[in-house]
Amino acid sequence: MAQLLITGGAGFIGSHTALVLLEAGHSLVVLDNFQNSSPESLRRVQELAGPEAAAKLRVVEGDIRSAADLEEALGSSTDAVVHFAGLKAVGESVAKPLAYWDVNVCGSRQLLAAMQRAGCRTLVFSSSATLYGIPDVVPIPESAPVQPINPYGHSKAAVERMLSDLAASEPGWRIACLRYFNPVGAHPSGRLGEDPNGIPNNLFPFVSQVAVGRRNRLSVFGGDWPTPDGSGVRDYIHVMDLAEGHRAAVDVLLAEDPQLLTLNLGSGQGHSVLEVVAAFEAASGQAVPYEVVARRPGDAATTVADPSLAAELLRWRTQRGLSQMCRDGWAWQSANPQGYAS
Ligand code: NAD
Ligand code: WQD
């Protein structure tokens, strides 16, 4: 079993992954500044993991841009880092590009330098399908051009570039860049889930907040896309499948020779906005009123992963479909209507 540092481990994907890694027997340090999360998520991770595993989780409140915080979190015996910490809102990145270059790019550079000093050269990095921009080919293979269309996407592409330069500069690096498609859903207990600040940017949390009565209606961004029902199509991935993908990536990196992997994590299945609305209504028993409005700038009609490389190299594939994403998302939203502040 390994000693792991999880940056951003209190966040949506980090908290679910922390639970899966604890359940697999690993020891964790979570480094998070709680700028977009709450320590309550980690208390619940410990509760779900049980007392024995919970004792293997240490929390450091700190910033990935601080060498001192990184040194405290890494210590001298970290086997691998899973790096979630970052900013992730596309619209905000257009308004505040320097914040995205600072946290996502400079923060990652600080982390890598601290790992070099600590002698740890194994890293799983949260990349994003956003770096494919408007894709030319769907399903999208990893060989598709990297052509981001917003500062958030540029920051993820820059970190991938930095990682490949680093891996080429000295032997021994074991790196997995995992390009997530659309992570949604929650832990089936309803104790962990996604808790966005303010008005959600993303479809799934918006739909759940309409179902629970926090918002009146969903705006469907475009009804005239070249898709079967005219609404946008995406590759939604259950956050527990995604968490298990990270466990597989850690295992593969630690077991195999040094390598740099770049992998899509998605299901390979596309679902339209209107299909998501219908599935969420069925899972929750609640109405989700919507109106079709203009397209959102920067959206693609369809983005769906080609997940075959991850299946081959990680021996991992998604297990949970859209109805389970909605059922578990509703378990979380209905039990925690105001998120962790409920
Ligand atoms: P999140 O905001 O819930 O989690 C990010 C965590 O990082 C939060 O707990 C936040 O407090 C922490 N953090 C932010 N800046 C920090 C800093 N400077 N120092 C220390 N901690 C800091 O986001 P998430 O959805 O869990 O996403 C995790 C990662 O996955 C991000 O890197 C994101 O870009 C990437 N990603 C997310 C999605 C998605 O749709 N959720 C898709 C693709 C990629
Ligand atoms: C999904 C579909 C919208 C909201 C984003 C980031 C990407 C990644 C995942 C981090 C689209 C439609 C949405 C709403 C709607 N994050 N929609 N009404 O844009 O595929 O990806 O999150 O890396 O980088 O770009 O996800 O959930 O915003 O949109 O009709 O209120 O839902 O047009 O078709 P997206 P999303």
Side-chain angles (χ1 to χ4, degrees):
M1 289 307 125
Q3 174 68 47
L4 307 175
L5 168 62
I6 317 292
T7 74
F12 171 45
I13 305 169
S15 56
H16 291 79
T17 305
L19 177 60
V20 164
L21 292 171
L22 281 177
E23 287 174 341
H26 297 300
S27 297
L28 312 185
V29 174
V30 165
L31 174 64
D32 203 302
N33 66 359
F34 302 114
Q35 101 153 46
N36 196 39
S37 57
S38 154
E40 176 62 17
S41 67
L42 295 173
R43 279 195 285 277
R44 294 191 186 185
V45 165
Q46 289 182 305
E47 163 204 304
L48 290 165
E52 198 179 322
K56 295 184 176 175
L57 171 65
R58 181 166 75 91
V59 181
V60 174
E61 181 169 357
D63 197 301
I64 54 164
R65 292 164 295 177
S66 157
D69 292 347
L70 286 165
E71 192 179 328
E72 184 192 343
L74 273 166
S76 56
S77 56
T78 300
D79 298 304
V81 176
V82 187
H83 178 31
F84 295 104
L87 306 180
K88 62 163 183 176
V90 169
E92 183 188 59
S93 79
V94 176
K96 299 179 183 170
L98 296 185
Y100 278 69
W101 284 89
D102 183 32
V103 176
N104 292 1
V105 181
C106 299
S108 297
R109 197 211 69 85
Q110 287 279 25
L111 171 66
L112 294 168
M115 289 174 66
Q116 270 187 326
R117 288 193 295 274
C120 173
R121 289 187 176 71
T122 303
L123 175 79
V124 176
F125 171 60
S126 296
S127 189
S128 171
T130 201
L131 50 66
Y132 295 120
I134 310 288
D136 307 320
V137 177
V138 179
I140 309 171
E142 289 84 355
S143 56
V146 171
Q147 47 190 21
I149 57 167
N150 54 64
Y152 169 65
H154 285 294
S155 74
K156 289 293 178 187
V159 176
E160 283 203 4
R161 182 75 250 172
M162 179 160 55
L163 290 170
S164 83
D165 289 349
L166 183 64
S169 74
E170 57 177 351
W173 282 93
R174 300 158 192 268
I175 296 174
C177 294
L178 302 182
R179 296 175 174 172
Y180 317 152
F181 278 66
N182 289 64
V184 300
H187 189 266
S189 65
R191 296 292 288 157
L192 299 178
E194 185 170 13
D195 184 16
N197 283 329
I199 300 172
N201 301 304
N202 296 117
L203 177 68
F204 226 83
F206 204 106
V207 166
S208 353
Q209 292 190 8
V210 172
V212 84
R214 266 175 81 173
R215 312 209 174 263
N216 291 335
R217 75 166 63 78
L218 171 74
S219 295
V220 175
F221 297 144
D224 57 352
W225 293 103
T227 59
D229 66 19
S231 65
V233 169
R234 295 291 180 273
D235 183 333
Y236 297 97
I237 173 170
H238 195 297
V239 67
M240 294 303 296
D241 279 326
L242 191 57
E244 289 165 7
H246 289 75
R247 181 183 60 198
V250 168
D251 289 349
V252 164
L253 288 180
L254 290 174
E256 296 182 358
D257 289 340
Q259 59 185 324
L260 171 59
L261 297 172
T262 301
L263 299 173
N264 289 336
L265 294 193
S267 71
Q269 301 290 316
H271 293 290
S272 73
V273 174
L274 297 181
E275 279 182 86
V276 170
V277 168
F280 208 92
E281 288 185 325
S284 66
Q286 306 296 312
V288 178
Y290 67 84
E291 65 178 325
V292 177
V293 301
R295 293 180 179 187
R296 182 172 64 177
D299 269 349
T302 303
T303 60
V304 174
D306 175 346
S308 51
L309 197 57
E312 180 191 335
L313 299 182
L314 300 184
R315 295 169 292 283
W316 163 92
R317 60 178 69 245
T318 60
Q319 307 285 337
R320 301 159 176 91
L322 181 62
S323 59
Q324 198 167 346
M325 299 176 208
C326 295
R327 189 190 71 199
D328 295 341
W330 179 243
W332 155 254
Q333 187 70 71
S334 55
N336 307 270
Q338 305 297 326
Y340 289 109
S342 295

